[in-house]
């Protein structure tokens, strides 16, 4: 009798070991099945040392930043050197990558209205009186990055003759402490040729300028104020993600916010949308914004914040962990009560139904997940007991499966630029997960139970494969009716097994190795005749 195994996969916890499909594992640790063979994963490798221990961190194109709580970021849509960052419990920030300089993302608003008085007044001819107009003034603050604030309150209305020069006292003329404000812009009310009444730019001043003498002849009105509704982001903003067309999205509670396209410091309240449940996190898949909540998920789509449509998905799939949300490339994955959910559009799918039942899944404590993306796999650490464990959900092979690892990770960061996954163990050390520059790890793989219709005796075995590093280990133990029968340590040659009949057989492989085929037979002639 010949039994040959040429397909290998991870664990399927929802299935009893006696009922696993051929090639699935009762135990799979440090295994890579992407090629169809059974292969050791690469070990992790040292990447960098942070200045402080990190509960969470950012890895961005060779730059590293540590944080003391869950952090998300979006690369700047207008400058490659800027990251826009939200951290739970902190106000949103702008970080300059090359200098590591950090600023508050919110630009403060001048709180005091300008004081406007007449400086000089033209002589009015009673026979040909000059027109009288009512004017208002306001100011804004501008930063060294050309970010402009909301306007100040307007000055008291002042009726003046055409041609009057005015003293505009800038009450708020000092840059707010700790900000990057370096200029003041002055706006005057006017009605344009198209009939639009509003505030129009007339002058830019250096901060600290207390008085500006306005003459409409020398400083005519120019463009309409652009920042009239440039609300600063709320202090509790979190979960920031980049979107197409220069947009970014973030949330606070049940409110979903969008920045003004290509103006990341401005988050107009007029664009805000509301969900029925508190938002847990956000993700982006193609043109869809995925909104995960404590209840049903939502998707949103639009080319500009003013035309975004929010759609609630009619599925009971709440997100249990904001740190378990991962961009998988083909969609956004997150842990829910029934398994790992993948959303790429209007039809979310629980992609682990064939791997975990609800009982097995809940035993992993999905509310404790902290996750990352690695080569088509969902890599996550979790706390089913007192110790945090790291595992993978591997969807790359023909049979999806669960793979355990010997990594001790507390947080993950995927660097899209390098295509590498990094992790922290809670110290200052950051390591690259499954680094191609590292040695192969020792794997452990125990097969499904091989049921025979009647007790049989296998007399020989051959394992085709290779050791992945000079001097690396390999061993395979064959179990018969639950008891270890024979252990071999050689590849690519026929080995004898201890004699004896059994109805249930199982194979356990360990070492830094790649295995392409395992063949069990009654004798050598059966192996050689089968090719």
């Amino acid at each position: 009798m010949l039994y040959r195994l040429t397909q290998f996969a991870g664990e399927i916890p929802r299935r009893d070991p006696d009922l696993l499909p051929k090639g699935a594992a009762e135990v799979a640790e440090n295994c890579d099945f992407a090629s169809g063979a059974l292969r050791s994963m690469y070990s992790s490798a040292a990447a960098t040392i942070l200045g402080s221990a990190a509960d969470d961190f950012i890895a961005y194109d060779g730059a590293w930043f540590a944080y003391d709580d869950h952090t998300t970021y979006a690369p700047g849509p207008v400058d490659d050197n800027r990251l826009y960052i939200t951290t739970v419990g902190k106000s949103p920030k702008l970080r300059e990558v090359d200098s590591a300089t950090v600023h508050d993302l919110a630009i403060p608003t001048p709180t005091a209205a300008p004081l406007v008085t007449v400086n000089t007044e033209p002589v009015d001819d009673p026979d040909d009186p000059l027109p009288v107009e009512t004017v208002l003034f306001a100011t804004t603050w501008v930063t060294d990055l050309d970010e402009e604030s909301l306007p100040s309150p307007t000055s008291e209305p002042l009726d003046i003759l055409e041609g009057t020069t005015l003293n505009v006292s800038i009450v708020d003329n000092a840059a707010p402490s700790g900000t990057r404000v370096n200029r003041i812009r002055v706006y005057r009310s006017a009605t344009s040729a198209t009939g639009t009444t509003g505030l129009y730019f007339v002058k830019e001043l250096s901060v600290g300028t207390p008085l500006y003498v306005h003459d409409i002849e020398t400083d005519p009105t120019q463009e309409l104020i652009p920042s009239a509704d440039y609300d600063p982001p709320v202090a509790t903003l979190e979960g920031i993600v980049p979107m197409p067309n220069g947009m970014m999205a973030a949330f606070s509670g049940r409110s979903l916010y969008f920045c003004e396209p290509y103006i990341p410091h401005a988050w107009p309240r007029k664009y805000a949308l509301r969900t029925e449940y508190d938002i847990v996190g956000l993700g982006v898949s193609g043109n869809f914004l995925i909104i995960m909540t404590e209840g049903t998920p939502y998707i949103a789509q639009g080319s500009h914040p003013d035309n975004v449509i929010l759609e609630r998905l009619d599925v009971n799939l709440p997100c249990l962990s904001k740190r378990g949300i991962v961009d998988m490339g083909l969609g956004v994955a997150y842990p829910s009560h029934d398994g790992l959910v993948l959303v790429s559009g209007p039809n979310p799918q629980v992609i682990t139904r064939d791997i975990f039942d609800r009982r097995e899944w809940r035993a992993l404590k999905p509310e404790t997940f902290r996750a990352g993306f690695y080569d088509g796999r969902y890599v996550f650490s979790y706390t089913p007991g007192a110790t945090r464990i790291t595992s993978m959900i591997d969807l790359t092979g023909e049979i999806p499966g669960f793979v355990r690892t010997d990594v001790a990770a507390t947080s993950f960061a995927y660097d899209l630029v390098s295509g590498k996954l990094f992790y922290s163990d809670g110290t200052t050390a950051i390591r690259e997960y499954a680094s191609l520059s590292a040695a192969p790890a020792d794997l452990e793989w125990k097969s499904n139970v091989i049921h025979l219709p009647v007790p049989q005796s296998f007399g020989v075995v051959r394992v085709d494969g290779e050791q992945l590093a000079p001097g690396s280990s390999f061993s395979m133990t064959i179990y018969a009716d639950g008891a270890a029968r024979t252990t071999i340590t050689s590849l690519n040659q026929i080995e004898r097994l201890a004699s004896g009949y059994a109805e249930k057989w199982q194979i356990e492989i360990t070492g830094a190795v790649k295995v392409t085929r395992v063949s069990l037979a009654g004798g050598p002639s059966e192996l050689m005749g089968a090719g």
Side-chain angles (χ1 to χ4, degrees):
M1 178 179 179
L2 175 67
Y3 181 87
R4 179 155 288 162
L5 188 60
T6 57
Q7 179 176 315
F8 303 87
E11 300 177 29
I12 306 177
R14 73 171 297 138
R15 303 285 292 271
D16 187 277
D18 280 1
L19 301 175
L20 287 169
K22 184 177 182 179
E26 181 180 348
V27 176
E29 180 173 340
N30 293 337
C31 300
D32 185 337
F33 306 105
S35 67
L38 169 63
R39 183 187 179 106
S40 295
M41 288 176 53
Y42 289 100
S43 301
S44 61
T48 193
I49 299 295
L50 299 174
S52 60
D55 181 70
D56 204 357
F57 67 100
I58 289 174
Y60 178 74
D61 195 18
W64 309 88
F65 308 112
Y67 296 90
D68 57 10
D69 209 327
H70 177 52
T71 298
T72 56
Y73 74 95
V78 293
D79 191 312
D80 294 342
N81 188 44
R82 301 175 198 170
L83 296 181
Y84 296 85
I85 298 168
T86 56
T87 301
V88 173
K90 304 288 179 66
S91 60
K93 306 295 183 185
L94 183 161
R95 188 156 203 158
E96 297 181 57
V97 177
D98 58 2
S99 66
T101 302
V102 179
H103 313 277
D104 281 329
L105 180 55
I107 308 301
T109 302
T111 58
L115 300 177
V116 183
T117 58
V118 172
N119 178 275
T120 62
E121 193 171 54
V123 176
D124 194 17
D125 184 349
D127 296 327
D128 186 16
L130 293 169
V132 176
E133 61 177 323
T134 301
V135 294
L136 305 169
F137 282 80
T139 61
T140 63
W141 278 322
V142 184
T143 73
D144 56 2
L145 300 179
D146 290 326
E147 302 155 313
E148 188 168 9
S149 73
L150 284 169
S152 70
T154 56
S155 61
E156 291 294 326
L158 183 65
D159 294 331
I160 62 171
L161 295 174
E162 185 179 273
T164 300
T165 63
L166 301 168
N167 293 323
V168 182
S169 296
I170 313 298
V171 179
D172 269 346
N173 62 68
S177 177
T179 70
R180 52 192 185 276
V181 170
N182 66 354
R183 286 165 287 158
I184 299 167
R185 286 181 183 159
V186 181
Y187 291 86
R188 168 181 164 152
S189 63
T191 300
S192 70
T194 60
T196 302
T197 300
L199 292 170
Y200 290 82
F201 174 73
V202 291
K203 193 69 173 180
E204 185 170 276
L205 309 170
S206 299
V207 292
T209 303
L211 179 68
Y212 159 59
V213 178
H214 173 62
D215 183 344
I216 196 68
E217 293 298 323
T218 57
D219 292 327
T221 56
Q222 300 179 49
E223 70 272 9
L224 186 68
I225 185 171
S227 64
D229 54 10
Y230 282 6
D231 298 300
V234 297
T236 53
L237 201 69
E238 60 176 295
I240 194 168
V241 292
M243 293 181 63
N245 302 322
M247 296 188 291
M248 296 191 296
F251 69 92
S252 177
R254 297 182 184 181
S255 295
L256 177 66
Y257 296 98
F258 300 90
C259 78
E260 190 71 31
Y262 299 101
I263 306 177
H265 73 280
W267 294 75
R269 302 294 184 269
K270 66 181 182 181
Y271 298 144
L273 300 171
R274 293 276 290 178
T275 59
E276 295 178 29
Y277 305 93
D278 281 350
I279 300 172
V280 178
L282 306 176
V284 177
S285 178
N287 291 323
F288 287 107
L289 175 67
I290 314 298
I291 303 103
M292 289 138 285
T293 77
E294 293 179 356
T296 59
Y298 291 72
I299 59 173
Q301 189 175 26
S303 59
H304 189 279
D306 63 9
N307 62 31
V308 169
I309 297 174
L310 184 66
E311 177 185 354
R312 190 185 77 164
L313 304 182
D314 194 19
V315 288
N316 296 321
L317 295 171
C319 180
L320 301 185
S321 171
K322 66 181 61 186
R323 299 183 73 162
I325 298 170
V326 173
D327 182 352
M328 298 291 290
L330 297 176
V332 177
Y334 69 91
S336 192
H337 292 303
D338 297 330
L340 189 69
V341 180
L342 184 69
V343 187
S344 57
N347 299 303
Q349 302 293 323
V350 180
I351 57 176
T352 54
R353 287 196 189 279
D354 292 336
I355 303 175
F356 299 95
D357 62 20
R358 187 180 174 93
R359 176 180 59 84
E360 295 284 353
W361 177 257
R362 293 296 293 158
L364 300 179
K365 299 293 180 66
E367 64 274 12
T368 69
F369 280 17
R370 299 180 176 187
F373 172 79
Y374 174 75
D375 194 23
R377 302 164 178 88
Y378 181 87
V379 182
F380 65 105
S381 71
Y382 54 107
T383 315
T387 305
R388 185 163 282 276
I389 299 169
T390 301
S391 297
M392 296 189 301
I393 294 171
D394 189 351
L395 306 173
T396 61
E398 292 186 23
I399 303 175
F402 174 66
V403 179
R404 306 172 193 273
T405 75
D406 58 8
V407 169
T410 59
S411 59
F412 295 94
Y414 180 70
D415 180 10
L416 183 61
V417 176
S418 66
K420 296 177 180 180
L421 177 64
F422 300 95
Y423 70 90
S424 166
D425 61 3
T427 68
T428 58
I430 300 297
R431 299 186 67 82
E432 181 190 347
Y433 183 83
S435 172
L436 298 181
S437 64
D442 283 338
L443 64 77
E444 179 183 1
W445 186 83
K446 191 172 186 179
S447 73
N448 60 296
V449 176
I450 304 164
H451 282 273
L452 301 178
V454 295
Q456 297 279 345
S457 177
F458 287 115
V460 294
V461 64
R462 177 185 168 101
V463 182
D464 293 302
E466 62 179 292
Q467 292 169 275
L468 295 178
S472 62
S473 61
F474 161 73
S475 71
M476 186 176 80
T477 300
I478 294 94
Y479 294 84
D481 288 337
R485 173 69 59 87
T486 303
T487 297
I488 67 169
T489 57
S490 298
L491 291 164
N492 306 313
Q493 63 186 51
I494 297 174
E495 297 279 353
R496 291 282 182 181
L497 301 181
S499 62
Y501 285 79
E503 185 178 343
K504 296 181 180 181
W505 296 78
Q506 213 167 1
I507 298 162
E508 184 177 41
I509 297 171
T510 62
V513 66
K514 180 179 80 170
V515 173
T516 57
R517 183 166 62 175
V518 177
S519 303
L520 291 164
S525 60
E526 288 181 301
L527 286 182
M528 292 184 290

